Amino acid sequence: MRAERSLSGCSGLALCGLLAFLLGMSVQPVQAGCAERESPNCCSGRNNECFEYTKRKTVCYCDTYCQKTGDCCEDYKRVCQISAAIDCVVGQWGGWSPCSSLCGEGSTERSRQVLTPPRNGGTPCPDLKQRRGCLGHALQCSSAKEVAKILPDSFKRNFKDPWRRPHMLMKEEKPSYCVYMRVRQASVVCKQRLWSAQLVLERSVCVECQSDAMATNNRCSGDGLEGIKTFWTTASAPGCHGSWVRESSREKCRCPPYSVLFV
């Protein structure tokens, strides 16, 4: 309650001075801070509009963020019923995940869980995930290490040999299959031949595996693994080589004209 008593009725300089001193002692300074704010008195998070003025008429804040910046109003903890700060607590790291690449360079990661979230301005949580590089060594990697040798489809082998004698054993003809490759790299030399000039970056190429080129496992060497980068070289254009990624394959298939063959 503000004291505004008039001093006009006092007589004598000494008496008036004494009355003024006593009144000054009885008047309590206004308690400025969070309690003086209109509802809500306190705010969560960071809110620059959640402020009030101190007794010295400087700005102080009533949001949770003020505990970090050290500019809370004097009555912040009392009015906002803030208890002691609670730091974040995390659990142990889990195991590393399998390598993202079956063969060659990839990445692996591990994570951990939050056991106690931070409260009341406590220390925030550290990183919950870690990632590092790895090298895949799956059983299929042996296929990824094979370098494909290729020729233009003008070298198709499935022709009838006019010199073959009737009594000569005919090789069992196995159905061809097609492999669709996406070129990732090609050397400059490849541009010197008409057929190899098509082996350019990001071009999709159909590569046919014919019966004569098949190994005992009924597949052509270097036909790759889906999604894995493998390498190729041409058998008729020295110095022409590069890499590609297998996108898909089809059994009992013939590639269209101007394609290439596995050797």
Side-chain angles (χ1 to χ4, degrees):
M1 178 175 169
R2 216 179 268 267
E4 297 180 347
R5 183 173 301 194
S6 173
L7 300 180
S8 59
C10 67
S11 61
L13 183 61
L15 181 59
C16 288
L18 179 60
L19 287 174
F21 174 77
L22 292 173
L23 286 172
M25 291 290 292
S26 64
V27 173
Q28 298 295 325
V30 176
Q31 293 294 326
C34 300
E36 301 299 315
R37 278 180 47 79
E38 296 182 0
S39 182
N41 299 98
C42 310
C43 311
S44 60
R46 180 174 182 174
N47 187 345
N48 291 339
E49 300 299 321
C50 190
F51 71 91
E52 193 46 69
Y53 294 97
T54 66
K55 292 179 289 186
R56 298 180 181 84
K57 300 303 180 183
T58 58
V59 174
C60 63
Y61 291 87
C62 301
D63 57 355
T64 309
Y65 194 74
C66 74
Q67 295 179 96
K68 293 183 179 180
T69 53
D71 51 6
C72 298
C73 295
E74 293 179 3
D75 62 351
Y76 172 72
K77 287 190 176 182
R78 175 177 60 82
V79 174
C80 299
Q81 298 180 350
I82 298 299
S83 57
I86 298 176
D87 297 336
C88 177
V89 178
V90 295
Q92 297 294 322
W93 286 107
W96 290 99
S97 65
C99 191
S100 60
S101 175
L102 292 175
C103 307
E105 297 179 358
S107 63
T108 178
E109 63 180 31
R110 64 177 181 175
S111 61
R112 55 185 174 181
Q113 302 295 322
V114 175
L115 303 180
T116 304
R119 290 194 292 270
N120 307 326
T123 304
C125 296
D127 291 338
L128 301 177
K129 283 189 177 181
Q130 284 184 342
R131 178 178 293 180
R132 67 182 183 184
C134 60
L135 287 174
H137 295 288
L139 294 176
Q140 304 97 312
C141 285
S142 57
S143 298
K145 294 177 182 177
E146 296 174 350
V147 177
K149 291 183 179 181
I150 57 175
L151 283 171
D153 63 354
S154 57
F155 283 84
K156 289 190 182 290
R157 298 182 179 85
N158 53 352
F159 59 92
K160 293 183 179 180
D161 186 354
W163 303 103
R164 187 183 298 277
R165 300 289 188 182
H167 66 276
M168 294 176 69
L169 292 175
M170 292 287 292
K171 232 180 132 180
E172 181 186 359
E173 188 74 20
K174 301 171 186 175
S176 300
Y177 67 88
C178 304
V179 181
Y180 297 91
M181 300 289 200
R182 180 76 59 179
V183 179
R184 295 300 187 206
Q185 186 181 8
S187 61
V188 179
V189 178
C190 297
K191 297 180 180 179
Q192 297 177 0
R193 300 288 183 94
L194 183 62
W195 76 270
S196 59
Q198 65 174 313
L199 300 171
V200 295
L201 184 65
E202 295 303 322
R203 173 73 64 84
S204 180
V205 179
C206 180
V207 191
E208 186 177 328
C209 177
Q210 295 185 343
S211 179
D212 286 347
M214 293 181 185
T216 54
N217 58 357
N218 295 331
R219 56 173 290 271
C220 286
S221 177
D223 63 356
L225 292 171
E226 200 160 317
I228 303 295
K229 183 174 75 171
T230 54
F231 298 91
W232 55 267
T233 183
T234 60
S236 63
C240 176
H241 55 81
S243 63
W244 52 21
V245 175
R246 176 170 170 167
E247 294 185 327
S248 62
S249 63
R250 288 179 56 192
E251 298 296 326
K252 298 180 180 179
C253 167
R254 296 283 187 179
C255 286
Y258 308 106
S259 299
V260 293
L261 306 172
F262 287 110
V263 177

